[in-house]
Amino acid sequence: MVKQSAPDTTRRSEKSRRAIYDAALDLVAEVGYPKTTIEGIAARAGVGKQTIYRWWSSKAEVLMEAFLDLSEQAAREAGPEETYTIPDTGDLATDLKAVLRLTVDQLKDPRFEAPSRALAAEGVVNEQVGRAFMAKLLEPSLQLYVDRVRAAQGAGQVCPEIDPRIALELWVSPLAQRWLQYTGPITYDYTDTLVDYALHGIAPR
Amino acid sequence: MVKQSAPDTTRRSEKSRRAIYDAALDLVAEVGYPKTTIEGIAARAGVGKQTIYRWWSSKAEVLMEAFLDLSEQAAREAGPEETYTIPDTGDLATDLKAVLRLTVDQLKDPRFEAPSRALAAEGVVNEQVGRAFMAKLLEPSLQLYVDRVRAAQGAGQVCPEIDPRIALELWVSPLAQRWLQYTGPITYDYTDTLVDYALHGIAPR
């Protein structure tokens, strides 16, 4: 009996953790970030407030982790071909276009829409949340592009003097702004075009 | 006496309008967009609710116009050299870099910071506000870039097959995303680099 208690606790913890994530994502989608509270998340998840405070120090932390978990879940469901890595077929344009088409699909996935918009919106007016969103959710994906551009520099497909951290913004930021600010439609054609413009520039060669 | 009543009314209206704009901008900076109400704006401006509803149909409309007015005021104060047009010296890179440096300054102007962040944040979670923000505040500036890129195409400085409406996003969107999501520092060096990458591409020529 004593031996079984540890796994039981782990299972119970895992169940609570998942209930908290679901409650946090549902609430933020329904009432928005400002009206989502630790109390509300706890009530909806059927756990005590103290259970949440044992694991996280703020609602921002709970939400970021819930969202990260949702993304990882989606990646697992999508199978090994659609993991969050950037392929290296040797052709940078092909690889970037493929990844950006997946991003277009993700941006249109209704499961992500409400919580990611709520978190992004709060980040615009709350620098602390904005920087946490950047560090936990955006930066890891941006680093994948940095690595892929560096590999392309090694392969002679990108000029050695280019800063990969700035280069990636030529295709990531336009897509992000269209999503955040409705500055234009989001399509595969559009992201393909961004990659071509970024690689070859808009001036005549 | 009767003859003077029209100018008096105009003057009084203009005074009320300005008080409403100021109240709207102050309130949204202090309590955020969701907690800003027509009632709150009216109380702070010292006018009746009906005065506001006579001119505008929603708080979003009041705020957008207040913000537009603030931008126009700032442009007038800055003098004729710093108007919101894009120069055409014949060299696209020089002109874009000059305008983007002004944009960097504006983004760091504390008068704009709070209201523009509050409106942008609401636009992320409220598509109607987002599209109004785009139509009233962003699109007019983007069209100036469209015109400047078209002129550069005429002058042989940009390839004729480039879509100017997408091209401008190579420098506008990275700056916008850094401002909205804290994805990196905002400096003159950075915007200069964006222009160089956009014009010449990151691939070897």
Side-chain angles (χ1 to χ4, degrees):
Chain A
M1 292 297 279
V2 171
K3 276 186 178 168
Q4 282 187 348
S5 101
D8 268 6
T9 309
T10 309
R11 212 175 303 134
R12 204 161 49 235
S13 292
E14 179 52 29
K15 217 181 135 195
S16 298
R17 182 180 294 266
R18 187 137 311 281
I20 291 164
Y21 284 165
D22 289 345
L25 292 172
D26 288 349
L27 264 182
V28 85
E30 285 167 26
V31 303
Y33 181 93
K35 288 187 186 151
T36 296
T37 59
I38 294 273
E39 287 75 7
I41 297 171
R44 188 154 182 151
V47 303
K49 244 170 65 170
Q50 287 319 312
T51 305
I52 297 187
Y53 281 119
R54 201 181 312 140
W55 290 326
W56 301 280
S57 63
S58 68
K59 71 168 173 174
E61 255 186 42
V62 182
L63 277 166
M64 302 275 176
E65 284 200 19
F67 191 72
L68 263 180
D69 179 74
L70 179 71
S71 310
E72 282 159 14
Q73 230 176 291
R76 277 194 305 273
E77 283 166 23
E81 301 122 58
E82 305 215 358
T83 48
Y84 292 88
T85 58
I86 298 174
D88 190 347
T89 66
D91 183 64
L92 181 63
T94 303
D95 297 344
L96 292 179
K97 287 176 184 177
V99 172
L100 286 170
R101 284 173 174 228
L102 285 180
T103 308
V104 167
D105 295 343
Q106 285 161 20
L107 289 176
K108 295 183 170 180
D109 184 331
R111 284 179 301 174
F112 295 111
E113 182 90 7
S116 57
R117 282 193 179 277
L119 280 171
E122 180 64 15
V124 173
V125 284
N126 180 333
E127 184 168 345
Q128 202 193 334
V129 169
R131 292 195 179 276
F133 189 88
M134 166 60 184
K136 293 208 172 182
L137 299 172
L138 301 178
E139 193 62 45
S141 327
L142 300 186
Q143 278 306 317
L144 298 176
Y145 283 115
V146 168
D147 295 344
R148 185 62 190 85
V149 171
R150 283 225 177 92
Q153 285 177 315
Q157 291 189 342
V158 168
C159 296
E161 65 273 20
I162 291 291
D163 179 341
R165 183 58 189 72
I166 296 179
L168 65 89
E169 295 178 53
L170 299 175
W171 52 85
V172 165
S173 300
L175 184 56
Q177 193 183 17
R178 285 197 175 201
W179 185 76
L180 289 165
Q181 301 201 293
Y182 301 96
T183 41
I186 290 174
T187 65
Y188 290 169
D189 259 3
Y190 168 65
T191 50
D192 286 358
T193 302
L194 288 175
V195 172
D196 291 332
Y197 288 8
L199 285 179
H200 308 299
I202 64 170
R205 297 219 146 201
Chain B
M1 292 296 280
V2 170
K3 276 189 177 167
Q4 281 187 349
S5 102
D8 268 8
T9 308
T10 309
R11 214 174 303 133
R12 204 162 49 237
S13 291
E14 180 51 27
K15 218 181 135 194
S16 298
R17 183 181 294 266
R18 188 137 310 279
I20 292 165
Y21 285 164
D22 288 345
L25 293 172
D26 287 349
L27 264 181
V28 85
E30 284 167 27
V31 304
Y33 182 92
K35 288 187 187 150
T36 297
T37 59
I38 294 273
E39 286 77 6
I41 298 171
R44 189 154 182 150
V47 303
K49 244 171 66 171
Q50 288 318 314
T51 305
I52 298 186
Y53 281 120
R54 202 181 311 142
W55 291 325
W56 300 282
S57 65
S58 69
K59 70 168 173 174
E61 255 186 41
V62 181
L63 277 166
M64 302 276 177
E65 286 199 18
F67 191 72
L68 263 179
D69 179 74
L70 180 69
S71 310
E72 283 160 13
Q73 230 175 291
R76 276 194 304 273
E77 283 166 23
E81 301 121 58
E82 305 216 357
T83 49
Y84 291 89
T85 59
I86 299 175
D88 189 347
T89 65
D91 183 63
L92 181 62
T94 303
D95 297 344
L96 293 179
K97 286 176 185 177
V99 173
L100 287 170
R101 284 174 174 227
L102 283 181
T103 308
V104 167
D105 294 343
Q106 284 161 22
L107 289 175
K108 295 183 171 179
D109 184 331
R111 284 179 301 175
F112 296 111
E113 182 89 9
S116 58
R117 284 193 178 277
L119 281 170
E122 180 64 15
V124 172
V125 285
N126 180 334
E127 186 169 343
Q128 202 194 333
V129 170
R131 292 194 180 277
F133 189 88
M134 166 60 185
K136 295 208 171 184
L137 299 172
L138 301 177
E139 193 62 46
S141 327
L142 300 186
Q143 278 307 317
L144 299 176
Y145 282 116
V146 168
D147 295 343
R148 185 64 190 83
V149 171
R150 283 226 177 92
Q153 285 177 315
Q157 292 189 343
V158 168
C159 296
E161 65 273 21
I162 291 291
D163 180 340
R165 183 57 188 74
I166 297 179
L168 65 88
E169 295 178 53
L170 299 175
W171 53 85
V172 166
S173 300
L175 184 56
Q177 192 183 19
R178 285 197 175 201
W179 185 75
L180 289 165
Q181 301 200 294
Y182 301 96
T183 41
I186 290 176
T187 64
Y188 291 167
D189 259 3
Y190 167 65
T191 50
D192 286 358
T193 303
L194 287 175
V195 172
D196 291 332
Y197 288 8
L199 285 179
H200 308 297
I202 65 170
R205 297 219 147 199

